[in-house]
Amino acid sequence: MSDAAGTPPFGISVALSLLAGVAIALWFPVLPPWPVAALIAGTGTWAWWRMPRWRALGALVLGVGLAWLHAGHALSLQLPVELEKGDFTVSGRIVDLPDHQLRRTRFTFRVDRGPGPSAAELPAALRGRTLSLSWYDGWDGADTARHELRAGQRWSLTTRLSAPRGLRNPGGFDSERHALARRVAASGYVKAPDTARLLAPAQGLNAWRERMSGRIDAAITASPSARFVRALALGDTRALTDEDWELLRANGLTHLIAISGFHVGLVAGFAALALGGVWWLFPALGRWCPRPIAAAMAGLAGAALYAAIAGFALPTVRTVLMIAVVAATRWQRRPLRIPDALALAAIAVLLVDPLSVLMAGFWLSFAGVVWLVWCLPDFQRRPLRDFLSAQGVATLGLLPLTVILFGQASTAGPFANLVAVPWWSLVVVPLSLIGTALDSLQAGWGTWAWGAAAWCFDLSWPLFEWLAATGL
């Protein structure tokens, strides 16, 4: 993977240079014209591949040009200034789970690529775009059709739209940056609810996720932890309250709720071990495909399936890319050290989506693994001791980064994670997934597993409530 007289094309120095180039580009207050960005990216690519001695510099230049191209494209998707505060009748599909609240419903809507109900009413700048919409109750508080919104449905809606905007509160959530990373073109609300028309019933992956979420609620409705089982099984956090999130933040456990990259990695590991066990029981299968390669492919398939269950959220997609890199090297039968695997994964993520550096999860995931590898180079020799060491090292090492990214840190995190990481990840999550798999085959089959997951979750929750209350 390296040249005799130059830097390895996919080594650590190239990954760091590419990351530096992306970060530098996104600090600029303005973007150059896209031909200039394309020329810079092309020059960097040529230097990366054709000039071994200057590969790191070429990767940095490529990062700058590529980030400018992606940022320019993301901004070009946003609603033009001349269409601000305009009213538009759009038809399209709900592409995420609608969040039904007391007086409004929030949902993500992807506009059809065609001209829509009326070609004159729908500008080309909105066709195929992703919108963040809210549907409010009337001023009299009367119930409306918003409660019928379901993931995967197609609707025709009259909306009032604006380009994504955020409040300039120091230390607050940067919704504008979040919208840019997600390629949201506009935000707005349904202006004339009485004119809304359902065009097609719910279908697709997100429709299945919402149906399964409803089944979990119906199956374990008596359990106060049903909302957490939904989050861990399907990535559905809609039922979690502000108090829930506050308690999770106080314990440093937000990374374990919903389907995180950590859980995707665990599922990939279980899938690889399971298929490796089959190869161990039937050695003759090795003639068809070596066991390490088969295990790597099983891990990738398991990760992709679990990411699909989560609706391909950004952290899960990033983890799938990392696992795909490792699987590809196994397929090519190349030896791969952990630092080299991280470098390859970072390069893959940055080339696919350089704007992922705008999300805190990118920095936490890579920084966490790098810090662990640096501090615990002999990891996996003593499982229990290594696990305890990893919790302390990760919590202390990521504390400054957590403060920078979120403006707060949890001192109870090391203690809470010692319980939550093995208990939730190795007991609650597998039971939640078993229930989801069984109920997908036949409604009602997964009730026992979901109930067991909720019971196991309830055993640990009082401890975290106590830790949060003590103010550690």
Side-chain angles (χ1 to χ4, degrees):
M1 294 177 63
S2 63
D3 293 356
T7 303
F10 299 105
I12 297 173
S13 61
V14 167
L16 292 175
S17 297
L18 188 64
L19 176 61
V22 171
I24 290 171
L26 295 179
W27 273 103
F28 274 66
V30 295
L31 297 175
W34 74 263
V36 175
L39 178 62
I40 293 173
T43 303
T45 303
W46 179 82
W48 184 3
W49 283 108
R50 304 296 296 179
M51 302 179 66
R53 294 184 181 276
W54 298 93
R55 269 207 179 104
L57 180 60
L60 186 143
V61 174
L62 171 60
V64 171
L66 193 63
W68 279 342
L69 285 174
H70 277 260
H73 178 257
L75 289 174
S76 71
L77 296 178
Q78 294 188 354
L79 193 70
V81 175
E82 60 270 17
L83 299 180
E84 285 274 347
K85 303 295 183 182
D87 297 338
F88 307 96
T89 300
V90 296
S91 62
R93 188 177 300 278
I94 300 174
V95 294
D96 205 351
L97 305 182
D99 185 8
H100 298 285
Q101 300 175 356
L102 182 61
R103 293 293 303 273
R104 70 171 179 177
T105 296
R106 295 188 299 179
F107 58 101
T108 305
F109 192 79
R110 182 163 298 138
V111 182
D112 292 336
R113 293 188 177 276
S118 173
E121 296 177 1
L122 187 63
L126 282 174
R127 298 176 191 174
R129 300 294 194 262
T130 299
L131 312 178
S132 179
L133 297 177
S134 295
W135 185 329
Y136 294 92
D137 278 343
W139 291 109
D140 57 358
D143 192 15
T144 68
R146 71 179 178 87
H147 296 287
E148 302 302 320
L149 293 174
R150 296 290 181 269
Q153 290 177 335
R154 292 191 66 252
W155 283 81
S156 173
L157 304 169
T158 300
T159 61
R160 174 162 290 182
L161 301 175
S162 300
R165 296 287 183 268
L167 299 176
R168 295 190 176 183
N169 292 332
F173 178 70
D174 193 339
S175 58
E176 206 167 331
R177 182 179 64 183
H178 189 67
L180 181 69
R182 294 172 55 226
R183 274 65 169 185
V184 173
S187 59
Y189 61 92
V190 178
K191 185 183 180 185
D194 54 321
T195 64
R197 292 187 297 113
L198 177 63
L199 303 178
Q203 58 182 349
L205 176 63
N206 282 316
W208 173 84
R209 292 177 65 216
E210 189 159 30
R211 286 196 301 271
M212 296 305 298
S213 181
R215 289 187 189 180
I216 292 175
D217 266 348
I220 55 174
T221 185
S223 172
S225 298
R227 64 192 187 279
F228 290 104
V229 176
R230 288 168 52 186
L232 293 169
L234 300 165
D236 180 5
T237 60
R238 295 175 297 171
L240 269 63
T241 64
D242 291 340
E243 291 75 16
D244 290 332
W245 287 114
E246 183 177 351
L247 191 148
L248 289 167
R249 284 192 294 269
N251 285 282
L253 299 177
T254 53
H255 66 290
L256 292 178
I257 288 297
I259 298 180
S260 65
F262 175 71
H263 290 146
V264 173
L266 281 178
V267 170
F270 284 136
L273 287 174
L275 198 67
V278 173
W279 255 243
W280 181 78
L281 291 173
F282 303 99
L285 292 172
R287 299 175 182 174
W288 172 70
C289 181
R291 186 171 68 172
I293 294 178
M297 294 302 108
L300 177 58
L305 179 60
Y306 197 33
I309 291 175
F312 290 108
L314 287 177
T316 66
V317 173
R318 184 170 57 245
T319 306
V320 170
L321 280 173
M322 297 179 188
I323 295 171
V325 167
V326 176
T329 57
R330 286 294 183 91
W331 183 270
Q332 295 180 353
R333 305 183 184 184
R334 292 178 176 269
L336 190 66
R337 300 179 302 122
I338 292 179
D340 294 329
L342 282 172
L344 274 170
I347 291 170
V349 171
L350 292 172
L351 290 180
V352 171
D353 183 16
L355 297 188
S356 61
V357 301
L358 296 175
M359 310 297 286
F362 173 89
W363 298 97
L364 289 174
S365 58
F366 278 104
V369 178
V370 169
W371 182 250
L372 283 174
V373 173
W374 178 269
C375 295
L376 303 173
D378 297 326
F379 195 67
Q380 293 182 344
R381 291 190 175 181
R382 302 180 184 88
L384 179 59
R385 179 179 175 181
D386 286 341
F387 171 74
L388 296 174
S389 300
Q391 292 303 314
V393 166
T395 302
L396 294 176
L398 294 180
L399 195 62
L401 187 59
T402 304
V403 173
I404 292 172
L405 293 173
F406 301 110
Q408 63 181 19
S410 169
T411 55
F415 308 102
N417 277 270
L418 282 176
V419 176
V421 169
W423 188 246
W424 289 2
S425 300
L426 301 179
V427 178
V428 180
V429 170
L431 285 171
S432 302
L433 291 179
I434 289 171
T436 303
L438 292 175
D439 221 75
S440 299
L441 299 175
Q442 177 64 47
W445 284 7
T447 300
W448 69 269
W450 287 330
W455 182 80
C456 291
F457 188 92
D458 288 337
L459 290 178
S460 63
W461 192 244
L463 171 64
F464 305 133
E465 291 180 323
W466 177 79
L467 286 173
T470 59
L472 289 177

